[in-house]
Amino acid sequence: MAETRVDDPGSETHAPAPHAGRHPGPKEYIRIAIILGVITAAEVAIYYIEGAKDFLIPLLFFFSFVKFTLVVLWFMHLRFDSRTYARFFVMGLAGAVTLFLIVLLIFQVFSS
């Protein structure tokens, strides 16, 4: 009778996963946190500048976009993981923005 051999799963060497790459260290997280704090301070400061009232909303949208992008890329690790995850995230975000705009149009928010 032939001998059946079961390999020990612990003895196999595993290749690193394709998405395993360089992930940020604590110093990078602290650097991003400082950048986010500076952007937040700029948002607050712009609100109190009298000359910036005409551009307040676009500037706040811009700063929000920059902060959102930094958080998504670093804290959600989309910058370091597989591009497939980033595509799924962008598709979901595009769907949410599209739905939001459709709802605004339905309720005639843009009509003057």
Side-chain angles (χ1 to χ4, degrees):
M1 182 151 105
E3 198 175 300
T4 306
R5 196 174 127 198
V6 177
D7 292 331
D8 181 23
S11 66
E12 295 179 16
T13 57
H14 296 286
H19 67 275
R22 186 188 76 78
H23 281 274
K27 287 183 181 179
E28 286 188 68
Y29 284 119
I30 291 171
R31 184 178 59 123
I32 296 300
I34 290 170
I35 292 171
L36 291 172
V38 168
I39 293 173
T40 301
E43 288 175 331
V44 172
I46 285 174
Y47 180 78
Y48 290 105
I49 296 174
E50 288 297 324
K53 294 293 183 194
D54 296 336
F55 303 106
L56 180 65
I57 301 300
L59 284 173
L60 290 178
F61 272 123
F62 172 74
F63 284 133
S64 295
F65 175 76
V66 170
K67 286 174 30 175
F68 175 79
T69 303
L70 287 174
V71 168
V72 166
L73 290 178
W74 268 271
F75 293 105
M76 290 178 61
H77 299 274
L78 287 183
R79 181 172 184 239
F80 308 101
D81 284 339
S82 171
R83 295 285 178 218
T84 304
Y85 298 134
R87 286 186 191 114
F88 280 125
F89 180 79
V90 170
M91 286 179 0
L93 183 63
V97 168
T98 302
L99 179 64
F100 180 70
L101 291 174
I102 289 171
V103 169
L104 290 179
L105 289 172
I106 286 174
F107 289 111
Q108 299 178 354
V109 172
F110 297 118
S111 61
S112 297

